[in-house]
């Protein structure tokens, strides 16, 4: 044999031996022994079976199986367990009357089974463990209530549980006790979501009478998740709604909400008047278009002036009157810009519409390195329309086009080593297409000036304390007194001659001093 052929022969032989050693190692790994412990255990060599009965316990890797009786087929690594069957693995356990289970593939089937994978629990005629992290329930239910007879449950012919991830069900009936509440064709619920699946709030008020406010959570996808609302008030009747929350990849997130009631309908126990349909529709959205640009949008439509105050008072307290607008804000290092479009959608309130407004703010900038002289500016252009509430008799809308600009210079200085003083002066110029009396193309000028003064005094105290877990090592007390003087010259057009839309229109001559004292501990 030539040296070249000998080399190839040795190479092939070495590769074959390496492959055999790998296969042998895998076989050894697969054939890890299954040890059956119990009151009575028999081994049948010819059939390659182990049969056990009475207090059976098998620990295989990280799985524990217990039952009353089992037959293990050593060649297929499969066991058939009967009587009080329970199999436990990390994060879940299964019980049932009978179970087929493969110890190597972790696949099995439970008859009349129960699965516990907190926070979800489920029962079914048949439970298929199709992988280490997936369980399928056939003709069963899941719930987050751990009672033997749960207060509520999601029932379906087919339910898939992905352990530590989500639950998916088709053709779902949602039960409260034994009463079906609603049907839904497709249902998804993340397991890691910890909020309650259903909530009920009951009470009594003077306006509502006795009430029960219920909500049922749903999760179909990232663009369809939220709560169904079913509320009942003895003096008002039955109301329904939906709060849907969504997230659009790369386009932001928001909510779409709707709430409806036939006030004083036949379900009301003490109707106080004619039946009247009232409702609210709302869409809110926020999108971070870029790192420096945020887009926000809100739409509200009402079928009653006091609807939110009467039926959604918590929201009314937090947000006040509903608004309708589109805002685009861009923030740079030296300036920021704002585009705002505000439009009234109902006639229940007086609104200053901006159709639209564009504003730019130049932040305080040092204009020369030689001297501490600073410059800042504000400029805006807007079409304003003041639309009045429908109850105001024969009041026509007021409108104007307005361009406004403020330029201000300041000088930052320090006197006597401790006193910071900043005198400033500015000029505001504002153009109006019309004034209160119908005169057109008007220019208003306003001169402003003033001086800001402040000082800081401090003392350090040698204090060591862990009171309330604050971990204090020395304490500095800072006192900051301020004294500011401001002056606004008489505008060339009095605010009495202008329609009032916002604070820019109401500027008038002012002159005064403000004093303040700030105490701070560090």
């Amino acid at each position: 044999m030539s040296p070249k052929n000998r080399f190839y022969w040795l190479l092939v032989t070495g590769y074959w031996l390496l492959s055999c050693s790998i296969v042998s190692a895998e076989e050894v790994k697969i054939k890890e022994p299954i040890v059956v412990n119990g009151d009575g255990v028999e081994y049948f060599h010819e059939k390659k079976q182990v049969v056990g009965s009475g207090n059976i316990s098998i620990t295989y890797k990280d799985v524990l199986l217990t039952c009353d009786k089992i037959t293990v087929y050593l060649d297929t690594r499969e066991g058939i367990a009967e009587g009080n069957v329970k199999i436990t693995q990390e994060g879940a356990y299964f019980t049932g009357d009978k179970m087929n289970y493969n110890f190597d593939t972790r696949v099995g089937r439970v008859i009349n089974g129960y699965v516990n994978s907190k926070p979800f629990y489920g029962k079914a005629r048949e439970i298929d463990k199709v992988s280490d992290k997936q369980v399928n329930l056939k003709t069963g239910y899941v719930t987050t209530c751990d009672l033997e007879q749960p207060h509520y449950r999601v029932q379906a012919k087919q339910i898939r549980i992905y352990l530590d991830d989500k639950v998916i069900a088709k053709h779902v009936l949602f039960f409260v006790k034994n009463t079906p509440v609603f049907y839904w064709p497709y249902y998804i619920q993340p397991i890691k979501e910890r909020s309650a699946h259903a909530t009920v709030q009951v009470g009594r008020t003077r306006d509502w009478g006795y009430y029960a406010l219920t909500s049922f959570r749903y999760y179909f996808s990232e663009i369809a998740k939220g709560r169904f609302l079913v509320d009942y008030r003895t003096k008002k009747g039955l109301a329904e709604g939906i709060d849907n929350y969504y997230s659009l990849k790369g386009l932001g997130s928001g909510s779409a909400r709707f709430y409806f009631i036939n006030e004083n309908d036949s379900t009301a126990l003490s109707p106080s008047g004619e039946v009247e349909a009232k409702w609210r529709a709302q869409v809110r959205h926020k999108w971070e278009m870029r790192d420096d640009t945020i887009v926000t949008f809100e739409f509200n439509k009402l079928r009653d002036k006091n609807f939110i105050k009467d039926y959604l008072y918590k929201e009314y307290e937090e947000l006040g009157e509903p608004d309708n607008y589109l805002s685009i804000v861009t923030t740079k290092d030296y300036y920021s810009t704002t585009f705002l479009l505000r439009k009234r959608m109902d006639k229940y309130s007086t609104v200053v519409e901006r159709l639209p407004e564009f504003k730019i703010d130049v932040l305080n900038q040092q204009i020369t390195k030689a001297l501490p002289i600073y410059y800042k500016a504000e400029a805006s252009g807007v079409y304003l329309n003041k639309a009045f509430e429908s109850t105001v008799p024969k009041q026509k809308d007021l409108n104007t086009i307005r361009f406004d600009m403020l330029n201000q210079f300041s000088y930052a200085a320090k006197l006597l080593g401790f006193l910071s003083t900043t005198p400033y002066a500015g000029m505001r110029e504002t153009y109006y297409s019309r004034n209160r009396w119908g005169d057109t193309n008007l220019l208003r000028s306003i001169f402003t000036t003033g001086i800001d003064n402040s000082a800081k005094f401090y003392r350090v105290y040698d204090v060591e304390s862990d009171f309330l877990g604050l971990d204090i090592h020395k304490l500095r007390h800072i006192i900051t007194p301020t004294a500011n003087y401001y002056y606004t010259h008489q505008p060339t057009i009095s605010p009495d001659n202008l329609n009032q839309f916002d604070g820019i229109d109401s500027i008038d001559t002012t002159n005064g001093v403000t004093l303040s004292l700030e105490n701070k501990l560090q």
Side-chain angles (χ1 to χ4, degrees):
M1 181 181 297
S2 67
K4 184 177 181 180
N5 291 337
R6 184 180 295 110
F7 171 76
Y8 284 120
W9 184 85
L10 290 173
L11 183 63
V12 171
T13 303
Y15 178 78
W16 179 79
L17 290 173
L18 179 62
S19 301
C20 290
S21 64
I22 294 174
V23 171
S24 299
E26 291 296 324
E27 288 178 351
V28 170
K29 183 179 180 181
I30 292 175
K31 293 183 179 181
E32 181 179 335
I34 301 173
V35 179
V36 180
N37 297 305
D39 295 341
V41 179
E42 295 182 85
Y43 172 63
F44 299 92
H45 178 73
E46 294 182 357
K47 296 181 178 181
K48 294 184 178 181
Q49 294 180 3
V50 176
V51 177
S53 61
N55 299 313
I56 297 299
S57 173
I58 300 175
T59 300
Y60 187 79
K61 298 180 181 178
D62 61 340
V63 173
L64 172 65
L65 186 151
T66 59
C67 60
D68 294 335
K69 181 181 179 181
I70 193 168
T71 300
V72 178
Y73 299 89
L74 299 179
D75 52 351
T76 62
R77 318 291 288 174
E78 184 176 356
I80 299 177
E82 301 178 68
N84 299 311
V85 182
K86 182 177 182 180
I87 187 166
T88 304
Q89 67 178 66
E90 183 180 1
Y93 70 82
F94 310 85
T95 63
D97 296 338
K98 185 176 181 180
M99 178 184 294
N100 293 6
Y101 183 73
N102 189 292
F103 289 91
D104 287 331
T105 63
R106 295 175 177 260
V107 172
R109 174 172 294 179
V110 185
I111 305 301
N112 293 326
Y114 169 82
V115 56
N116 181 315
S117 178
K118 293 182 179 179
F120 276 87
Y121 314 91
K123 282 188 176 182
R125 293 181 183 176
E126 190 174 295
I127 298 178
D128 287 330
K129 190 175 184 297
V130 298
S131 70
D132 194 32
K133 291 294 183 180
Q134 181 181 344
V135 179
N136 294 344
L137 280 64
K138 296 181 180 179
T139 312
Y141 70 82
V142 291
T143 179
T144 56
C145 178
D146 60 354
L147 298 178
E148 181 67 24
Q149 298 295 327
H151 293 110
Y152 51 87
R153 65 186 189 273
V154 173
Q155 186 167 307
K157 288 187 177 180
Q158 184 179 26
I159 302 172
R160 287 176 287 168
I161 301 178
Y162 297 88
L163 305 181
D164 299 328
D165 187 9
K166 58 189 173 183
V167 174
I168 299 177
K170 295 180 179 179
H171 303 295
V172 169
L173 276 175
F174 186 88
F175 280 79
V176 176
K177 287 291 187 178
N178 294 319
T179 304
V181 177
F182 64 84
Y183 163 84
W184 199 260
Y186 193 76
Y187 174 87
I188 301 178
Q189 175 61 53
I191 287 179
K192 295 181 180 180
E193 179 62 57
R194 300 298 183 184
S195 58
H197 188 89
T199 63
V200 179
Q201 180 182 348
V202 297
R204 181 180 181 274
T205 67
R206 182 182 61 183
D207 296 329
W208 290 356
Y210 292 98
Y211 65 85
L213 311 180
T214 63
S215 68
F216 306 95
R217 192 180 61 198
Y218 66 89
Y219 185 105
F220 305 124
S221 68
E222 282 300 310
I223 62 174
K225 56 183 178 181
R227 289 185 176 274
F228 294 111
L229 309 176
V230 181
D231 302 335
Y232 179 71
R233 303 167 177 87
T234 57
K235 290 186 177 182
K236 300 293 185 180
L238 187 67
E240 305 91 21
I242 183 172
D243 292 344
N244 184 80
Y245 301 93
Y246 61 87
S247 179
L248 305 174
K249 188 175 182 180
L251 295 175
S253 59
S255 61
R257 308 171 70 187
F258 183 77
Y259 195 77
F260 173 86
I261 184 172
N262 261 329
E263 196 173 88
N264 304 319
D265 63 11
S266 59
T267 64
L269 300 181
S270 54
S272 57
E274 295 182 358
V275 176
E276 183 178 2
K278 297 181 179 182
W279 50 268
R280 184 280 293 272
Q282 180 192 74
V283 177
R284 305 178 73 188
H285 186 80
K286 183 178 181 180
W287 173 29
E288 293 189 12
M289 184 185 298
R290 299 192 300 266
D291 291 340
D292 59 2
T293 303
I294 295 178
V295 179
T296 54
F297 168 79
E298 184 168 343
F299 167 83
N300 288 278
K301 185 71 175 175
L302 300 174
R303 182 65 183 277
D304 181 69
K305 176 182 178 180
N306 298 315
F307 186 84
I308 296 179
K309 185 177 181 180
D310 290 344
Y311 292 100
L312 307 167
Y313 190 75
K314 184 177 180 181
E315 178 182 330
Y316 176 79
E317 278 188 320
E318 294 176 353
L319 304 177
E321 295 291 340
D323 200 359
N324 294 278
Y325 67 91
L326 169 66
S327 170
I328 305 174
V329 178
T330 300
T331 304
K332 300 291 187 180
D333 292 337
Y334 303 110
Y335 69 92
S336 64
T337 61
T338 303
F339 173 87
L340 178 62
L341 176 65
R342 174 171 279 114
K343 177 67 177 175
R344 187 178 69 166
M345 295 299 173
D346 300 296
K347 297 182 179 181
Y348 301 126
S349 58
T350 299
V351 176
V352 176
E353 299 176 327
R354 299 172 185 269
L355 306 168
E357 178 182 42
F358 181 79
K359 183 178 181 181
I360 181 170
D361 291 328
V362 178
L363 306 179
N364 214 23
Q365 303 292 324
Q366 186 172 353
I367 60 178
T368 174
K369 294 183 178 179
L371 293 171
I373 299 176
Y374 294 84
Y375 168 78
K376 73 175 183 178
E378 300 174 4
S380 64
V382 59
Y383 176 75
L384 297 161
N385 184 72
K386 192 171 187 178
F388 290 89
E389 185 181 349
S390 58
T391 57
V392 179
K394 299 181 180 179
Q395 177 66 61
K396 294 183 178 179
D397 292 357
L398 302 177
N399 51 68
T400 189
I401 296 174
R402 185 183 74 192
F403 292 97
D404 177 74
M405 185 166 187
L406 171 66
N407 294 281
Q408 180 175 295
F409 292 88
S410 60
Y411 181 87
K414 203 158 193 176
L415 303 177
L416 305 175
F418 70 92
L419 179 62
S420 298
T421 181
T422 306
Y424 62 87
M427 178 66 72
R428 182 183 290 272
E429 301 281 349
T430 310
Y431 165 84
Y432 291 92
S433 64
R434 70 175 65 190
N435 68 0
R436 183 177 180 183
W437 315 113
D439 300 328
T440 58
N441 299 323
L442 306 167
L443 184 64
R444 182 192 67 177
S445 300
I446 305 175
F447 174 74
T448 61
T449 188
I451 184 169
D452 297 335
N453 301 286
S454 66
K456 284 189 178 182
F457 305 96
Y458 72 90
R459 182 176 179 180
V460 178
Y461 296 91
D462 191 12
V463 177
E464 298 286 335
S465 175
D466 195 28
F467 179 68
L468 298 178
L470 295 177
D471 193 23
I472 297 174
H473 303 280
K474 294 188 178 182
L475 196 64
R476 180 164 61 179
H477 180 209
I478 303 173
I479 300 176
T480 308
T482 61
N484 302 326
Y485 168 75
Y486 57 89
Y487 170 74
T488 301
H489 191 69
Q490 178 67 46
T492 56
I493 300 176
S494 171
D496 295 335
N497 295 322
L498 299 172
N499 292 316
Q500 298 299 304
F501 298 99
D502 55 30
I504 292 177
D505 307 315
S506 61
I507 297 175
D508 204 351
T509 181
T510 54
N511 185 21
V513 175
T514 61
L515 302 173
S516 66
L517 182 67
E518 180 186 80
N519 282 275
K520 183 186 295 184
L521 292 174
Q522 291 183 337

